[in-house]
Amino acid sequence: MTSLLATALVLLQEPDAAPVPLNPANSSALGDILHHTGPVAYAVLALLAILSIFSWTIMIAKSRAFSAARNQSARFLRAFRKSGRLSEIAAVADQFKPSPLVAVFTEINDEYHRQTNGRGLPRNPVGLERAAATASSEALTVMEQRLTWLASIATNSPYIGLFGTVWGIINAFHGLGTAGAATLRAVAPGISEALITTAAGILVAIPAGVGYNQLTAQLRDFGSRVDDFGRELLNAIENAAAYVPPTPPQTPPSGLSGEHRRVF
């Protein structure tokens, strides 16, 4: 597309044609291009600007939310490993609410209490595993919200810019037919529209694509951490429920010999 436009410019430019003067009201080439841009190109640029603002808003908000979730997960994991009782963790779990580990702990703890009232081995260990998987999936789904918008913006922004490119070329040929002469002055406004909308689409798509890839990688890391914590919690519950405290040795009655003590 770029080589075709360059060839067209070379063929259309006449040796004796005067250069196209810049608009004195604008101090830069970009300002002059925008001054000669048509309404369709303006609409394309406005749509791309809205998409850019929206994508940056999502990326900033998700980065802050993931950072808070990461910090709270580290704090909750330290508290969980220091404490030896589920009731103690359940009492302070709300303090670490941004962490997805809290949702997994709450779901597993509730299922365990429904099965055993908080004591003994769970009657249905598979049910605990299902509860952990469900809680993990729900927590990651909440964290994944609006990330698909970034993927859509990164994919479709170049096509929106390409629409402006096609429209600008149409305007260029229309100006060429209206002028009745193959001059650069006749096609310059349309080609300017084509180039600026193409550049705008690329500038919107690149940050959205990079942000989506980075946030998706962090989300996969959260998924691994949540699954590991679920297995660690299930192991802790099974070990605590199966633990039998050692019985203290009974003191034999006084007055019996050592041989009689061994018999009793």
Side-chain angles (χ1 to χ4, degrees):
M1 179 66 71
T2 305
S3 59
L4 179 61
L5 291 176
T7 304
L9 288 176
V10 172
L11 293 176
L12 291 175
Q13 190 171 11
E14 296 179 353
D16 56 348
V20 181
L22 293 176
N23 191 340
N26 299 283
S27 59
S28 65
L30 180 60
D32 187 71
I33 292 174
L34 293 176
H35 179 74
H36 292 91
T37 298
V40 175
Y42 270 124
V44 171
L45 292 176
L47 178 59
L48 290 173
I50 294 173
L51 293 178
S52 178
I53 294 173
F54 185 52
S55 64
W56 277 104
T57 302
I58 293 176
M59 288 186 288
I60 293 174
K62 285 297 181 181
S63 297
R64 292 178 177 176
F66 285 7
S67 178
R70 190 179 300 106
N71 294 334
Q72 293 297 334
S73 295
R75 294 181 55 200
F76 177 76
L77 197 57
R78 287 195 298 267
F80 170 76
R81 290 172 176 172
K82 288 181 180 179
S83 177
R85 301 176 62 88
L86 294 179
S87 58
E88 296 176 357
I89 301 298
V92 298
D94 289 339
Q95 300 178 7
F96 312 97
K97 199 63 174 179
S99 171
L101 304 184
V102 174
V104 176
F105 171 82
T106 302
E107 185 65 26
I108 295 177
N109 187 44
D110 292 345
E111 179 65 22
Y112 175 69
H113 278 76
R114 282 192 293 267
Q115 293 185 16
T116 64
N117 291 326
R119 292 184 178 180
L121 288 170
R123 294 189 299 270
N124 184 13
V126 177
L128 288 180
E129 295 178 0
R130 292 174 180 172
T134 301
S136 174
S137 177
E138 291 178 352
L140 294 178
T141 299
V142 172
M143 299 182 69
E144 194 179 7
Q145 288 178 351
R146 296 193 302 275
L147 281 185
T148 53
W149 278 103
L150 291 180
S152 299
I153 293 172
T155 303
N156 296 316
S157 292
Y159 293 104
I160 297 174
L162 183 61
F163 171 77
T165 302
V166 174
W167 191 265
I169 294 176
I170 292 174
N171 284 342
F173 282 101
H174 178 72
L176 183 62
T178 303
T183 61
L184 183 60
R185 185 187 300 272
V187 299
I191 294 177
S192 299
E193 291 182 9
L195 297 178
I196 195 172
T197 53
T198 303
I202 295 173
L203 289 177
V204 173
I206 291 176
V210 173
Y212 175 77
N213 292 332
Q214 293 296 322
L215 293 174
T216 302
Q218 295 182 34
L219 192 64
R220 287 196 297 267
D221 181 68
F222 276 113
S224 299
R225 293 177 182 271
V226 168
D227 292 340
D228 293 341
F229 173 74
R231 287 189 288 267
E232 181 178 350
L233 178 57
L234 292 176
N235 290 334
I237 291 175
E238 293 178 359
N239 293 335
Y243 174 75
V244 178
T247 56
Q250 296 182 355
T251 303
S254 59
L256 295 179
S257 63
E259 183 178 354
H260 289 117
R261 290 174 187 170
R262 285 194 294 272
V263 173
F264 280 93

